[in-house]
Amino acid sequence: MALNKEFATAGKKPGLQVWRVEKMNLAPVPTELHGDFFSGDSYILLYTTSAPSYNIHTWIGSDASPDERGAAAILMTQLDDFLGGAPRQFTEFQGEESLTFLGYFRSGIKYKKGGVASGFKHVVTNDANVKRLLHVKGRRIIRAKEVDLSWASFNKGDCFIIDLGKSIFHWSGSESNLFERLKTTELALDIRDNERKGRATVEMIDEGSEPEAVIEVLGPKPDLPSGSSDDVSIDKKNKSVASLYLISDAAGSMTTTVVADKNPFKQDMLSQNECYIVDNGGDNKLFVWKGKNANADERKAAFTAANKFIKDKNYSKNTQVQIMPAGGETTLFKQFFFNWLDKDETTGPSKAYTIGRIAKVEQIPFDSSKLHSDNIMAAQHGMVDDGSGKIQVWIWRVEVGEKVPVNPSTYGQFFGGDCYLVLYSYNAGGREKHIIYTWQGQNCTKDELAASAFLTVNLDDSMGGVATQVRVTQGQEPSHLVSVFKDKPLVIHLGGTSRECGESKPGSTRLFHIRQSSTKATRAVEVQPTASSLNTNDVFVLKSPESLFMWKGKGATPEEMAAAKYVASLLGGAATEVEEASEPAGFWAALGGKKEYQTSKTLQRTVRPPRLFACSNKTGRLIAEEVPGEFTQMDLATDDVMILDTWDQIFVWVGKDANETEKTGSLTIAQEYVNSDPSGRRGIPISTIKQGEEPLSFSGWFHAWDPKMWDKDLLQCLQARNECFFCQHHV
């Protein structure tokens, strides 16, 4: 079969590519519509890292035909061949997607009715005649399914998006909770910003307060039923049980032989000369591991072997399959092995590697700066390039309702008291394209917030409405925005302003936390000037009236030190380099005295990403829902018990609004979590901590931890930003 022409662009740049399967051809899905899926279709997704390494996913809609399912499988195999057999392969089914897949779409995924067979296309539109209803489910894994636009689709316990084109209504049931409302608001704003390109208004309405525009479409509201629970009662024990099989074609046909009938397995059970299946049928999952020296026919037939195994075992046709080459093992696969060690993991701090197709690439052991946004936001908004092509960048500061040009010499510096517009122009396929980043500081005024939204739309209009608009709040900068400034780090000033007549002056003592992400994007974030803000893994720049220090933690990288020198040059004066554990007295004096700070060797050495779960035993069973993608402090839900798993330590975080059963049973929940671990871990230290009392060993896993975050009404903050946008559109 001829190579699909769309493969010519596959894997050329880091980021996400999405294609819809149309017969045996692939049609690219516009970046603005990534996360939208028609239930009648199949899709191919490719996620490329900078290593490079690759994840290929097939996504099968609930109404997709057998032919479309088969075409997706063939195209995935072809794409794997095109990329040299290096990718990890995942099969995804509507409503049962893997966490890896869901992590690309942090605002959530939307299921639309229809498909290619019924003439529906992926087109970015400002159509004012859209009329649809989206039923939003989930607190962390956000899915919005298109349902009939009728009161019969509603219930009291959930949130819905009533999309009427120019007006988007977020409807909250009387029994819905704060976290669900917050996530639905983010999804509604995402529809406005990406699907409508800013040309729509979002209005939040509560059950019983429906405006006339909604009543005209739906009629008077009847009595509604209560919502159903999102909790799925699955036996945790069965989910963690697996068997290991050897795949062989030595006898002339594909066969499987039991290697071990029960996990945890030993890593040395896997030979680089063979292919294997890990059968986790109790959790509807199958893993195929391909040894690097395995027979070429066996490697190519891995997907066929998996499907035969599913049929022989009489498993569901929607069983998820993950296929991975040696060196590309997923976290879910490794959890079935006792004390899995990655290549070079034990060579010491900062010496762990990830294997790409071309070369062995050094990886920072743990980089919590990527927990802000990194590749997740890049996937959602489009990592269009690495900022190295021929580009134009213009930056304006919002001032008295107007945009004022920023001096190019200060590009890359953002102040918490300001709002900025960043216009990024680049060439793609011979066409000039544009992204407008609207950066909103935490301390800017409500008028500036409103003006920034208004000016963004005006700027887009001046270019014919072709720009992609990305709203960025302080501390949530996507990696692509950081990459725009080339070799300079993105510098975030805690407060103040870059205006010539600033309304506030910076503090006399300032501390900047510098960290490089896995995408090589470096941020310098101003934090509170106290010793407890330090972290052994990173670099800090300390400016006081008497001195200027560059503090080098034990886990610091050369790139972070280079960024620190740049930040020091901005602050003025000759910087003194200070090694951790060799600080002069003047250093501690500038920070108000020596205090404990994050010195965890685990943070320094780990190559396993930490995992965050929301846990509940309300139903009598342990339900642990993992936060997809790369988590942030915002993912700590105040009405839940959360588990942060850093492999050799378990943290149980108890939200202030968690129910009494969960509060008193939090240790039991944590112990159940450890006991059900497929890797067989035992005796893991468990720390129980309460919201607002987080120790350094916990908060150190989150970049630029904000101890005052929960003093704010997060939903009210989102509503205020939306009201500013709404008001300016009606001036």
Side-chain angles (χ1 to χ4, degrees), residues 432-707:
E432 189 174 45
K433 294 190 176 183
H434 311 277
I435 300 175
I436 303 171
Y437 290 103
T438 308
W439 189 92
Q440 299 171 333
Q442 291 180 350
N443 299 322
C444 62
T445 66
K446 189 173 181 179
D447 287 344
E448 288 168 340
L449 283 174
S452 68
F454 177 67
L455 291 169
T456 298
V457 173
N458 277 0
L459 181 57
D460 188 17
D461 285 341
S462 71
M463 296 184 294
V466 297
T468 297
Q469 300 177 30
V470 184
R471 189 183 67 254
V472 180
T473 54
Q474 182 176 339
Q476 299 287 339
E477 296 79 18
S479 289
H480 183 260
L481 175 58
V482 182
S483 73
V484 165
F485 304 106
K486 309 286 186 180
D487 55 344
K488 294 181 180 179
L490 181 69
V491 181
I492 307 296
H493 298 266
L494 195 59
T497 174
S498 58
R499 302 170 194 174
E500 291 186 6
C501 299
E503 296 175 2
S504 60
K505 294 181 179 179
S508 58
T509 301
R510 308 178 70 188
L511 183 65
F512 286 84
H513 182 180
I514 297 164
R515 183 177 280 177
Q516 185 184 53
S517 76
S518 58
T519 60
K520 305 302 180 185
T522 307
R523 295 172 176 82
V525 181
E526 187 175 4
V527 294
Q528 293 298 327
T530 175
S532 60
S533 295
L534 298 175
N535 190 313
T536 190
N537 301 282
D538 302 318
V539 177
F540 289 75
V541 175
L542 172 63
K543 168 71 172 175
S544 73
E546 296 81 21
S547 55
L548 179 62
F549 295 100
M550 287 192 305
W551 185 85
K552 182 181 179 182
K554 293 179 180 177
T557 67
E559 294 85 358
E560 288 167 344
M561 284 300 294
K565 291 177 182 177
Y566 172 74
V567 173
S569 71
L570 297 178
L571 298 175
T576 301
E577 186 173 320
V578 174
E579 295 275 350
E580 183 178 3
S582 300
E583 299 88 354
F587 176 82
W588 297 118
L591 289 173
K594 192 171 183 178
K595 298 178 184 177
E596 289 187 1
Y597 61 88
Q598 179 53 264
T599 57
S600 169
K601 291 182 180 179
T602 303
L603 279 174
Q604 215 173 306
R605 290 174 176 264
T606 186
V607 293
R608 294 184 179 89
R611 302 171 71 186
L612 183 66
F613 298 83
C615 295
S616 173
N617 59 2
K618 296 184 181 75
T619 62
R621 297 175 184 266
L622 172 65
I623 295 171
E625 182 183 26
E626 186 168 1
V627 175
E630 308 200 17
F631 58 75
T632 70
Q633 187 181 352
M634 284 280 289
D635 289 309
L636 297 173
T638 61
D639 61 345
D640 273 339
V641 168
M642 310 289 294
I643 286 181
L644 177 65
D645 183 357
T646 63
W647 187 252
D648 62 355
Q649 186 166 6
I650 302 292
F651 296 94
V652 182
W653 182 89
V654 182
K656 62 181 178 63
D657 299 321
N659 67 43
E660 288 303 316
T661 301
E662 290 171 336
K663 286 181 178 178
T664 56
S666 57
L667 270 177
T668 302
I669 290 174
Q671 194 58 59
E672 285 182 36
Y673 170 80
V674 174
N675 291 344
S676 62
D677 188 334
S679 70
R681 283 184 295 169
R682 295 293 182 269
I684 305 299
I686 299 174
S687 301
T688 302
I689 56 180
K690 295 180 180 178
Q691 179 183 337
E693 303 295 332
E694 294 82 8
L696 293 169
S697 56
F698 178 85
S699 61
W701 293 96
F702 299 82
H703 185 219
W705 176 272
D706 180 4

Side-chain angles (χ1 to χ4, degrees), residues 246-297:
L246 171 69
I247 302 173
S248 174
D249 66 349
S253 62
M254 200 65 65
T255 61
T256 54
T257 306
V258 176
V259 176
D261 60 3
K262 187 177 181 181
N263 58 298
F265 313 122
K266 294 180 180 179
Q267 195 171 350
D268 60 11
M269 291 178 176
L270 301 177
S271 166
Q272 292 288 356
N273 299 317
E274 307 290 352
C275 295
Y276 298 83
I277 287 177
V278 170
D279 175 15
N280 183 215
D283 197 21
N284 207 39
K285 291 182 176 65
L286 213 66
F287 303 86
V288 181
W289 185 87
K290 302 185 295 184
K292 64 181 180 180
N293 302 323
N295 178 297
D297 291 335

Side-chain angles (χ1 to χ4, degrees), residues 158-320:
D158 291 329
C159 294
F160 294 78
I161 293 175
I162 305 167
D163 185 358
L164 302 182
K166 286 189 175 181
S167 298
I168 301 170
F169 297 94
H170 163 196
W171 184 94
S172 299
S174 56
E175 297 173 3
S176 62
N177 65 50
L178 173 64
F179 215 69
E180 291 167 337
R181 294 183 181 206
L182 189 65
K183 294 296 183 181
T184 304
T185 298
E186 291 175 351
L187 184 58
L189 294 175
D190 182 72
I191 292 172
R192 181 195 70 189
D193 294 346
N194 289 317
E195 289 192 34
R196 302 294 142 70
K197 301 182 75 64
R199 292 171 176 79
T201 59
V202 175
E203 183 176 344
M204 287 72 162
I205 55 176
D206 293 325
E207 179 184 350
S209 62
E210 295 78 15
E212 188 61 33
V214 170
I215 295 174
E216 285 180 4
V217 174
L218 292 170
K221 182 185 76 70
D223 289 336
L224 299 174
S226 293
S228 59
S229 172
D230 290 339
D231 295 338
V232 179
S233 295
I234 298 175
D235 189 336
K236 185 74 176 175
K237 183 177 180 181
N238 287 339
K239 289 183 67 174
S240 63
V241 172
S243 301
L244 179 65
Y245 292 81
L246 171 69
I247 302 173
S248 174
D249 66 349
S253 62
M254 200 65 65
T255 61
T256 54
T257 306
V258 176
V259 176
D261 60 3
K262 187 177 181 181
N263 58 298
F265 313 122
K266 294 180 180 179
Q267 195 171 350
D268 60 11
M269 291 178 176
L270 301 177
S271 166
Q272 292 288 356
N273 299 317
E274 307 290 352
C275 295
Y276 298 83
I277 287 177
V278 170
D279 175 15
N280 183 215
D283 197 21
N284 207 39
K285 291 182 176 65
L286 213 66
F287 303 86
V288 181
W289 185 87
K290 302 185 295 184
K292 64 181 180 180
N293 302 323
N295 178 297
D297 291 335
E298 289 177 349
R299 289 171 60 87
K300 287 185 177 181
F303 191 74
T304 302
N307 282 330
K308 182 178 184 298
F309 189 92
I310 290 169
K311 186 176 181 180
D312 292 345
K313 289 282 188 177
N314 201 28
Y315 287 161
S316 165
K317 67 178 182 179
N318 286 1
T319 298
Q320 292 182 3

